[in-house]
Amino acid sequence: MIVSLLTLALLLLGSALIIYIYDAYRKINQNYLLLLSVGFFVLVIGGALPGMHKTIGLSVDGDAVLIMSLLMQMIGIILIFYSVVK
């Protein structure tokens, strides 16, 4: 139960941040903000993946879900880093 609530909270907070950044992109039309919002999207989904797996109870191996989660988080961080540095 607590995992489900924390996963939902992570998704809601992440969604609010992503929407805020995307709205800023639409106002000033800077591509780095779009890349930043995509990076945060991948990071948030990757972070919530193990919790969603546990809540939904899919028949996918837990190690595979953990590996996919870590890869998504790494890709998200790389996108965020690239958008900030560029």
Coordinates of all heavy atoms in Angstrom, one line a residue:
M1 N 0.8 -1.2 0.0 CA 0.0 0.0 0.0 C 0.9 1.3 0.0 O 0.6 2.2 -0.8 CB -0.9 0.0 1.2 CG -1.8 1.2 1.4 SD -3.1 1.1 0.2 CE -4.1 2.5 0.8
I2 N 1.9 1.3 0.9 CA 2.8 2.5 0.9 C 3.6 2.7 -0.4 O 3.8 3.8 -0.8 CB 3.7 2.4 2.2 CG1 4.4 3.8 2.4 CG2 4.8 1.4 2.0 CD1 3.5 4.7 3.2
V3 N 4.0 1.5 -1.0 CA 4.7 1.6 -2.3 C 3.8 2.3 -3.3 O 4.2 3.1 -4.1 CB 5.2 0.2 -2.7 CG1 5.8 0.3 -4.1 CG2 6.2 -0.3 -1.7
S4 N 2.5 1.9 -3.4 CA 1.6 2.4 -4.3 C 1.4 3.9 -4.1 O 1.4 4.7 -5.1 CB 0.2 1.7 -4.2 OG 0.4 0.4 -4.5
L5 N 1.3 4.3 -2.9 CA 1.1 5.8 -2.6 C 2.3 6.6 -2.9 O 2.2 7.7 -3.5 CB 0.7 5.9 -1.1 CG -0.7 5.4 -0.7 CD1 -0.9 5.5 0.8 CD2 -1.8 6.1 -1.5
L6 N 3.5 6.1 -2.6 CA 4.7 6.8 -2.9 C 5.0 6.9 -4.4 O 5.4 7.9 -4.9 CB 5.9 6.1 -2.2 CG 5.9 6.3 -0.7 CD1 7.0 5.5 -0.1 CD2 6.1 7.8 -0.3
T7 N 4.6 5.8 -5.1 CA 4.8 5.8 -6.6 C 3.8 6.8 -7.2 O 4.2 7.6 -8.1 CB 4.5 4.4 -7.2 OG1 5.4 3.5 -6.6 CG2 4.6 4.4 -8.7
L8 N 2.6 6.9 -6.7 CA 1.6 7.9 -7.2 C 2.1 9.3 -6.9 O 2.0 10.2 -7.8 CB 0.3 7.6 -6.6 CG -0.8 8.6 -7.0 CD1 -1.1 8.5 -8.5 CD2 -2.1 8.3 -6.2
A9 N 2.6 9.5 -5.7 CA 3.2 10.8 -5.4 C 4.3 11.2 -6.3 O 4.4 12.4 -6.7 CB 3.6 10.8 -3.9
L10 N 5.2 10.3 -6.5 CA 6.3 10.5 -7.4 C 5.8 10.9 -8.8 O 6.3 11.9 -9.4 CB 7.3 9.3 -7.5 CG 8.4 9.4 -8.5 CD1 9.4 10.4 -8.1 CD2 9.1 8.1 -8.7
L11 N 4.9 10.2 -9.3 CA 4.3 10.5 -10.7 C 3.6 11.8 -10.7 O 3.8 12.6 -11.7 CB 3.4 9.3 -11.1 CG 4.1 8.0 -11.4 CD1 3.0 6.9 -11.7 CD2 5.0 8.2 -12.6
L12 N 2.9 12.2 -9.7 CA 2.2 13.4 -9.6 C 3.2 14.6 -9.6 O 3.0 15.6 -10.3 CB 1.2 13.5 -8.5 CG 0.0 12.6 -8.6 CD1 -0.9 12.6 -7.4 CD2 -0.9 13.0 -9.8
L13 N 4.1 14.5 -8.7 CA 5.1 15.6 -8.5 C 6.0 15.7 -9.8 O 6.2 16.8 -10.3 CB 6.0 15.3 -7.3 CG 5.4 15.5 -6.0 CD1 6.3 15.0 -4.9 CD2 5.0 17.0 -5.7
G14 N 6.4 14.6 -10.4 CA 7.1 14.6 -11.6 C 6.3 15.2 -12.7 O 6.8 16.0 -13.5
S15 N 5.1 14.9 -12.8 CA 4.2 15.4 -13.9 C 4.0 16.9 -13.7 O 4.1 17.6 -14.7 CB 2.8 14.7 -13.8 OG 2.9 13.4 -14.1
A16 N 3.9 17.4 -12.5 CA 3.8 18.8 -12.3 C 5.0 19.5 -12.8 O 4.9 20.6 -13.4 CB 3.5 19.1 -10.8
L17 N 6.2 19.0 -12.4 CA 7.4 19.6 -12.9 C 7.6 19.6 -14.4 O 8.0 20.6 -15.0 CB 8.6 18.9 -12.2 CG 10.0 19.4 -12.6 CD1 10.2 20.8 -12.1 CD2 11.1 18.4 -12.0
I18 N 7.2 18.5 -15.0 CA 7.3 18.3 -16.5 C 6.4 19.3 -17.2 O 6.8 20.0 -18.1 CB 7.1 16.9 -16.9 CG1 8.2 16.0 -16.4 CG2 6.9 16.8 -18.4 CD1 7.9 14.5 -16.4
I19 N 5.2 19.4 -16.7 CA 4.2 20.4 -17.3 C 4.7 21.8 -17.1 O 4.6 22.6 -18.1 CB 2.8 20.2 -16.6 CG1 2.2 18.8 -17.1 CG2 1.9 21.3 -17.0 CD1 1.0 18.4 -16.3
Y20 N 5.3 22.1 -16.0 CA 5.8 23.5 -15.8 C 6.9 23.8 -16.7 O 7.0 24.9 -17.3 CB 6.3 23.6 -14.3 CG 6.8 25.0 -13.9 CD1 5.9 26.0 -13.7 CD2 8.1 25.2 -13.8 CE1 6.3 27.3 -13.3 CE2 8.6 26.5 -13.4 CZ 7.7 27.5 -13.2 OH 8.1 28.7 -12.9
I21 N 7.8 22.9 -16.9 CA 9.0 23.1 -17.8 C 8.4 23.2 -19.3 O 8.9 24.0 -20.1 CB 10.0 22.0 -17.7 CG1 10.7 22.1 -16.3 CG2 11.1 22.1 -18.8 CD1 11.5 20.9 -16.0
Y22 N 7.5 22.3 -19.6 CA 6.9 22.3 -21.0 C 6.2 23.6 -21.3 O 6.3 24.2 -22.4 CB 6.0 21.1 -21.2 CG 5.5 21.1 -22.6 CD1 6.3 20.7 -23.7 CD2 4.2 21.4 -22.9 CE1 5.9 20.6 -25.0 CE2 3.7 21.4 -24.2 CZ 4.5 21.0 -25.2 OH 4.1 21.0 -26.5
D23 N 5.5 24.2 -20.3 CA 4.8 25.5 -20.5 C 5.9 26.6 -20.7 O 5.6 27.5 -21.5 CB 4.0 25.8 -19.3 CG 2.6 25.0 -19.3 OD1 2.2 24.5 -20.3 OD2 2.0 25.0 -18.2
A24 N 7.0 26.5 -20.0 CA 8.0 27.5 -20.2 C 8.6 27.3 -21.6 O 8.9 28.3 -22.3 CB 9.1 27.3 -19.2
Y25 N 8.7 26.1 -22.1 CA 9.2 25.9 -23.5 C 8.2 26.5 -24.5 O 8.7 27.1 -25.5 CB 9.3 24.4 -23.8 CG 9.4 24.0 -25.2 CD1 10.5 24.3 -26.0 CD2 8.2 23.5 -25.9 CE1 10.5 24.0 -27.4 CE2 8.3 23.2 -27.2 CZ 9.4 23.5 -28.0 OH 9.4 23.2 -29.3
R26 N 6.9 26.3 -24.3 CA 5.9 26.9 -25.2 C 6.0 28.4 -25.2 O 5.7 29.0 -26.3 CB 4.5 26.4 -24.9 CG 4.4 24.9 -25.3 CD 3.0 24.4 -25.0 NE 1.9 25.3 -25.2 CZ 0.7 25.3 -24.7 NH1 0.5 24.3 -23.9 NH2 -0.2 26.2 -24.9
K27 N 6.3 29.0 -24.1 CA 6.3 30.5 -24.0 C 7.6 31.1 -24.7 O 7.5 32.1 -25.4 CB 6.3 30.9 -22.6 CG 4.9 30.8 -22.0 CD 5.0 31.2 -20.5 CE 3.6 30.9 -19.9 NZ 3.6 31.2 -18.4
I28 N 8.7 30.5 -24.5 CA 10.0 31.1 -25.0 C 10.6 30.3 -26.2 O 11.5 30.7 -26.8 CB 11.0 31.3 -23.9 CG1 11.4 30.0 -23.2 CG2 10.5 32.3 -22.9 CD1 12.5 30.2 -22.2
N29 N 10.0 29.1 -26.4 CA 10.4 28.3 -27.6 C 11.9 28.0 -27.7 O 12.5 28.1 -28.7 CB 9.9 29.0 -28.9 CG 9.8 28.0 -30.0 OD1 9.7 26.8 -29.8 ND2 9.8 28.4 -31.2
Q30 N 12.5 27.6 -26.6 CA 13.9 27.2 -26.5 C 14.0 25.7 -26.5 O 13.4 25.1 -25.6 CB 14.6 27.8 -25.3 CG 14.7 29.3 -25.3 CD 15.7 29.8 -26.4 OE1 16.7 29.1 -26.7 NE2 15.4 30.9 -27.0
N31 N 14.7 25.1 -27.4 CA 14.8 23.7 -27.5 C 15.4 23.0 -26.3 O 15.0 21.8 -26.0 CB 15.5 23.3 -28.8 CG 14.8 23.6 -30.0 OD1 13.5 23.6 -30.0 ND2 15.5 23.8 -31.1
Y32 N 16.2 23.7 -25.6 CA 16.8 23.0 -24.4 C 15.8 22.7 -23.3 O 15.9 21.8 -22.6 CB 18.0 23.8 -23.8 CG 17.6 25.1 -23.1 CD1 17.3 25.1 -21.8 CD2 17.5 26.3 -23.8 CE1 16.9 26.3 -21.1 CE2 17.1 27.5 -23.2 CZ 16.8 27.4 -21.8 OH 16.5 28.6 -21.2
L33 N 14.7 23.6 -23.3 CA 13.6 23.3 -22.3 C 12.8 22.1 -22.7 O 12.4 21.3 -21.9 CB 12.7 24.5 -22.2 CG 13.3 25.7 -21.4 CD1 12.4 26.9 -21.5 CD2 13.6 25.3 -20.0
L34 N 12.6 21.9 -24.0 CA 11.9 20.7 -24.5 C 12.7 19.4 -24.1 O 12.2 18.5 -23.6 CB 11.7 20.7 -26.0 CG 10.9 19.6 -26.6 CD1 9.5 19.5 -25.9 CD2 10.8 19.8 -28.1
L35 N 14.0 19.5 -24.4 CA 14.9 18.4 -24.0 C 15.0 18.2 -22.5 O 15.0 17.0 -22.1 CB 16.3 18.7 -24.6 CG 17.3 17.5 -24.6 CD1 16.8 16.4 -25.4 CD2 18.7 18.0 -25.1
L36 N 14.9 19.2 -21.8 CA 14.9 19.1 -20.3 C 13.6 18.4 -19.8 O 13.7 17.5 -19.0 CB 15.0 20.5 -19.7 CG 15.1 20.6 -18.2 CD1 16.4 20.0 -17.7 CD2 15.0 22.0 -17.7
S37 N 12.5 18.8 -20.4 CA 11.2 18.1 -20.0 C 11.2 16.7 -20.4 O 10.7 15.8 -19.7 CB 10.0 18.9 -20.6 OG 10.0 18.8 -22.0
V38 N 11.8 16.3 -21.6 CA 11.8 14.9 -22.0 C 12.8 14.2 -21.0 O 12.5 13.0 -20.6 CB 12.3 14.8 -23.4 CG1 12.6 13.3 -23.8 CG2 11.3 15.3 -24.4
G39 N 13.9 14.8 -20.6 CA 14.8 14.1 -19.7 C 14.1 13.9 -18.3 O 14.3 12.8 -17.8
F40 N 13.4 14.8 -17.8 CA 12.7 14.6 -16.6 C 11.6 13.6 -16.7 O 11.3 12.8 -15.8 CB 12.1 15.9 -16.0 CG 13.1 16.7 -15.2 CD1 13.5 17.9 -15.6 CD2 13.5 16.2 -14.0 CE1 14.4 18.6 -14.9 CE2 14.4 16.9 -13.2 CZ 14.9 18.1 -13.6
F41 N 10.9 13.5 -17.9 CA 9.9 12.5 -18.1 C 10.5 11.1 -18.0 O 10.0 10.2 -17.3 CB 9.2 12.7 -19.5 CG 8.2 11.7 -19.8 CD1 7.0 11.7 -19.3 CD2 8.6 10.7 -20.7 CE1 6.1 10.7 -19.6 CE2 7.7 9.7 -21.1 CZ 6.4 9.7 -20.5
V42 N 11.6 10.9 -18.7 CA 12.2 9.6 -18.7 C 12.7 9.3 -17.3 O 12.6 8.1 -16.8 CB 13.4 9.6 -19.7 CG1 14.2 8.3 -19.6 CG2 12.9 9.7 -21.1
L43 N 13.3 10.3 -16.6 CA 13.8 10.1 -15.2 C 12.7 9.7 -14.3 O 12.8 8.7 -13.5 CB 14.5 11.3 -14.8 CG 15.1 11.3 -13.4 CD1 16.3 10.3 -13.4 CD2 15.6 12.6 -13.0
V44 N 11.5 10.4 -14.4 CA 10.4 10.1 -13.4 C 9.8 8.7 -13.7 O 9.5 8.0 -12.8 CB 9.4 11.2 -13.5 CG1 8.1 10.8 -12.9 CG2 9.9 12.5 -12.9
I45 N 9.6 8.4 -15.0 CA 9.0 7.1 -15.3 C 10.0 6.0 -14.9 O 9.6 5.0 -14.4 CB 8.7 7.0 -16.8 CG1 7.6 8.0 -17.2 CG2 8.2 5.6 -17.2 CD1 6.3 7.8 -16.5
G46 N 11.3 6.2 -15.2 CA 12.2 5.2 -14.8 C 12.3 5.0 -13.3 O 12.4 3.9 -12.8
G47 N 12.1 6.1 -12.5 CA 12.1 6.0 -11.1 C 10.9 5.3 -10.5 O 10.9 4.6 -9.5
A48 N 9.8 5.5 -11.2 CA 8.5 4.9 -10.7 C 8.3 3.5 -11.2 O 7.4 2.8 -10.8 CB 7.3 5.8 -11.2
L49 N 9.1 3.0 -12.2 CA 8.9 1.7 -12.8 C 8.9 0.6 -11.8 O 8.0 -0.3 -11.8 CB 10.0 1.5 -13.9 CG 9.7 0.4 -14.9 CD1 8.4 0.7 -15.6 CD2 10.8 0.4 -15.9
P50 N 9.8 0.5 -10.8 CA 9.8 -0.6 -9.9 C 8.5 -0.6 -9.0 O 7.9 -1.6 -8.7 CB 11.0 -0.4 -9.0 CG 12.0 0.4 -9.9 CD 11.1 1.2 -10.7
G51 N 8.1 0.6 -8.6 CA 6.9 0.7 -7.8 C 5.7 0.3 -8.6 O 4.7 -0.3 -8.1
M52 N 5.6 0.7 -9.9 CA 4.5 0.3 -10.7 C 4.5 -1.2 -10.9 O 3.4 -1.8 -10.9 CB 4.5 1.0 -12.1 CG 4.3 2.5 -12.0 SD 4.1 3.4 -13.6 CE 5.7 3.2 -14.3
H53 N 5.7 -1.8 -11.1 CA 5.8 -3.2 -11.3 C 5.2 -3.9 -10.0 O 4.5 -4.9 -10.1 CB 7.2 -3.6 -11.5 CG 7.5 -5.1 -11.6 ND1 7.9 -5.8 -10.6 CD2 7.2 -6.0 -12.6 CE1 8.0 -7.1 -10.9 NE2 7.6 -7.2 -12.2
K54 N 5.6 -3.4 -8.9 CA 5.2 -4.1 -7.6 C 3.7 -3.9 -7.4 O 3.0 -4.8 -7.0 CB 5.9 -3.5 -6.4 CG 5.6 -4.2 -5.1 CD 6.5 -3.7 -4.0 CE 6.1 -4.3 -2.7 NZ 7.0 -5.3 -2.3
T55 N 3.2 -2.7 -7.8 CA 1.7 -2.4 -7.6 C 0.9 -3.2 -8.5 O -0.1 -3.8 -8.1 CB 1.5 -0.9 -7.8 OG1 2.2 -0.2 -6.8 CG2 0.0 -0.6 -7.6
I56 N 1.3 -3.2 -9.8 CA 0.5 -3.9 -10.8 C 0.7 -5.4 -10.7 O -0.2 -6.2 -11.0 CB 0.8 -3.4 -12.2 CG1 0.4 -1.9 -12.3 CG2 0.1 -4.2 -13.3 CD1 0.9 -1.3 -13.6
G57 N 1.9 -5.9 -10.4 CA 2.2 -7.3 -10.3 C 2.3 -8.0 -11.6 O 1.7 -9.1 -11.8
L58 N 3.0 -7.4 -12.5 CA 3.3 -8.0 -13.8 C 4.1 -9.3 -13.7 O 4.9 -9.4 -12.7 CB 3.9 -7.0 -14.8 CG 3.1 -5.8 -15.1 CD1 3.9 -4.9 -16.0 CD2 1.8 -6.1 -15.8
S59 N 4.1 -10.1 -14.7 CA 4.8 -11.4 -14.6 C 6.2 -11.2 -15.2 O 6.9 -12.2 -15.5 CB 4.1 -12.5 -15.4 OG 4.0 -12.1 -16.7
V60 N 6.7 -10.0 -15.2 CA 8.1 -9.7 -15.7 C 9.0 -9.9 -14.6 O 8.7 -9.5 -13.4 CB 8.2 -8.3 -16.3 CG1 9.6 -8.0 -16.8 CG2 7.1 -8.1 -17.4
D61 N 10.2 -10.4 -14.9 CA 11.2 -10.6 -13.8 C 11.6 -9.3 -13.1 O 11.8 -8.3 -13.8 CB 12.5 -11.2 -14.5 CG 13.6 -11.5 -13.5 OD1 13.2 -11.9 -12.3 OD2 14.7 -11.4 -13.9
G62 N 11.7 -9.3 -11.8 CA 12.1 -8.1 -11.1 C 13.4 -7.5 -11.4 O 13.6 -6.3 -11.4
D63 N 14.4 -8.4 -11.7 CA 15.7 -7.9 -12.1 C 15.6 -7.1 -13.4 O 16.3 -6.1 -13.6 CB 16.7 -9.0 -12.2 CG 17.1 -9.6 -10.8 OD1 16.9 -8.8 -9.8 OD2 17.6 -10.7 -10.8
A64 N 14.8 -7.6 -14.4 CA 14.7 -7.0 -15.7 C 14.0 -5.6 -15.5 O 14.4 -4.6 -16.1 CB 13.8 -7.8 -16.6
V65 N 13.1 -5.5 -14.6 CA 12.4 -4.2 -14.3 C 13.4 -3.3 -13.7 O 13.5 -2.1 -14.0 CB 11.2 -4.4 -13.4 CG1 10.6 -3.1 -12.9 CG2 10.1 -5.2 -14.1
L66 N 14.2 -3.7 -12.7 CA 15.2 -2.9 -12.1 C 16.3 -2.4 -13.1 O 16.7 -1.2 -13.1 CB 15.9 -3.7 -11.0 CG 16.9 -2.9 -10.1 CD1 16.2 -1.7 -9.4 CD2 17.5 -3.8 -9.0
I67 N 16.7 -3.3 -14.0 CA 17.7 -2.9 -15.0 C 17.1 -1.8 -15.9 O 17.7 -0.8 -16.2 CB 18.2 -4.1 -15.8 CG1 19.1 -5.0 -14.9 CG2 18.9 -3.7 -17.0 CD1 19.4 -6.3 -15.5
M68 N 15.8 -2.0 -16.3 CA 15.2 -1.1 -17.2 C 15.0 0.3 -16.5 O 15.2 1.3 -17.1 CB 13.8 -1.6 -17.7 CG 13.1 -0.7 -18.6 SD 13.9 -0.3 -20.1 CE 13.6 -1.8 -21.0
S69 N 14.7 0.2 -15.2 CA 14.5 1.4 -14.4 C 15.8 2.2 -14.3 O 15.9 3.4 -14.6 CB 14.0 1.1 -13.0 OG 14.1 2.2 -12.2
L70 N 16.9 1.5 -14.1 CA 18.2 2.2 -14.0 C 18.7 2.7 -15.3 O 19.2 3.9 -15.3 CB 19.2 1.2 -13.4 CG 19.0 0.8 -11.9 CD1 20.0 -0.3 -11.6 CD2 19.2 2.0 -11.0
L71 N 18.4 2.0 -16.4 CA 18.8 2.5 -17.7 C 18.0 3.8 -18.0 O 18.5 4.7 -18.6 CB 18.6 1.4 -18.8 CG 19.6 0.3 -18.7 CD1 19.2 -0.8 -19.7 CD2 21.0 0.8 -19.1
M72 N 16.7 3.7 -17.7 CA 15.9 4.9 -18.0 C 16.3 6.1 -17.2 O 16.3 7.2 -17.7 CB 14.4 4.6 -17.8 CG 13.8 3.7 -18.8 SD 12.1 3.3 -18.4 CE 11.3 4.9 -18.8
Q73 N 16.7 5.9 -15.9 CA 17.1 7.0 -15.1 C 18.4 7.6 -15.6 O 18.6 8.8 -15.6 CB 17.3 6.5 -13.7 CG 15.9 6.2 -13.0 CD 16.1 5.7 -11.6 OE1 16.8 6.3 -10.8 NE2 15.4 4.6 -11.3
M74 N 19.3 6.7 -16.1 CA 20.6 7.2 -16.6 C 20.4 8.0 -17.9 O 21.0 9.0 -18.1 CB 21.5 6.0 -16.9 CG 22.1 5.3 -15.7 SD 23.0 3.8 -15.9 CE 24.1 4.2 -17.2
I75 N 19.5 7.5 -18.8 CA 19.2 8.2 -20.0 C 18.5 9.6 -19.6 O 18.9 10.6 -20.3 CB 18.2 7.4 -20.9 CG1 19.0 6.2 -21.5 CG2 17.7 8.3 -22.0 CD1 18.1 5.2 -22.1
G76 N 17.7 9.6 -18.7 CA 17.0 10.9 -18.2 C 18.1 11.9 -17.7 O 18.0 13.0 -18.1
I77 N 19.0 11.4 -16.9 CA 20.0 12.3 -16.4 C 20.9 12.8 -17.5 O 21.3 13.9 -17.5 CB 20.8 11.5 -15.3 CG1 20.0 11.4 -14.1 CG2 22.1 12.3 -14.9 CD1 20.5 10.5 -13.0
I78 N 21.3 11.9 -18.5 CA 22.1 12.3 -19.6 C 21.4 13.4 -20.4 O 22.0 14.4 -20.8 CB 22.4 11.1 -20.5 CG1 23.4 10.2 -19.8 CG2 23.0 11.6 -21.8 CD1 23.7 8.9 -20.4
L79 N 20.1 13.2 -20.6 CA 19.3 14.3 -21.4 C 19.2 15.6 -20.6 O 19.4 16.7 -21.2 CB 17.9 13.8 -21.7 CG 17.7 12.6 -22.7 CD1 16.3 12.1 -22.7 CD2 18.2 13.1 -24.1
I80 N 19.0 15.5 -19.3 CA 19.0 16.7 -18.5 C 20.4 17.4 -18.5 O 20.4 18.6 -18.7 CB 18.6 16.4 -17.0 CG1 17.1 15.9 -17.0 CG2 18.8 17.6 -16.1 CD1 16.7 15.3 -15.7
F81 N 21.4 16.6 -18.3 CA 22.8 17.2 -18.4 C 23.1 17.8 -19.7 O 23.6 19.0 -19.8 CB 23.8 16.1 -18.1 CG 25.2 16.6 -18.0 CD1 25.6 17.3 -16.9 CD2 26.1 16.3 -19.1 CE1 26.9 17.8 -16.9 CE2 27.4 16.8 -19.0 CZ 27.8 17.5 -17.9
Y82 N 22.7 17.2 -20.8 CA 22.9 17.7 -22.1 C 22.1 19.0 -22.4 O 22.7 20.0 -22.9 CB 22.5 16.7 -23.2 CG 22.8 17.1 -24.6 CD1 24.1 17.2 -25.1 CD2 21.7 17.5 -25.4 CE1 24.3 17.6 -26.4 CE2 22.0 18.0 -26.7 CZ 23.3 18.0 -27.2 OH 23.5 18.5 -28.5
S83 N 20.9 19.0 -21.9 CA 20.1 20.3 -22.1 C 20.6 21.4 -21.3 O 20.5 22.6 -21.7 CB 18.6 20.0 -21.7 OG 18.5 19.9 -20.3
V84 N 21.3 21.2 -20.1 CA 21.8 22.2 -19.3 C 23.2 22.7 -19.9 O 23.4 23.9 -19.9 CB 22.0 21.8 -17.8 CG1 22.8 22.8 -17.0 CG2 20.6 21.5 -17.2
V85 N 24.0 21.8 -20.3 CA 25.3 22.2 -20.8 C 25.2 22.8 -22.2 O 26.0 23.8 -22.5 CB 26.2 20.9 -20.9 CG1 27.5 21.2 -21.6 CG2 26.5 20.4 -19.5
K86 N 24.3 22.4 -23.0 CA 24.2 22.9 -24.4 C 23.8 24.4 -24.4 O 23.1 25.0 -23.8 CB 23.3 22.1 -25.2 CG 23.2 22.5 -26.6 CD 22.3 21.6 -27.4 CE 22.3 22.1 -28.8 NZ 21.4 21.6 -29.7

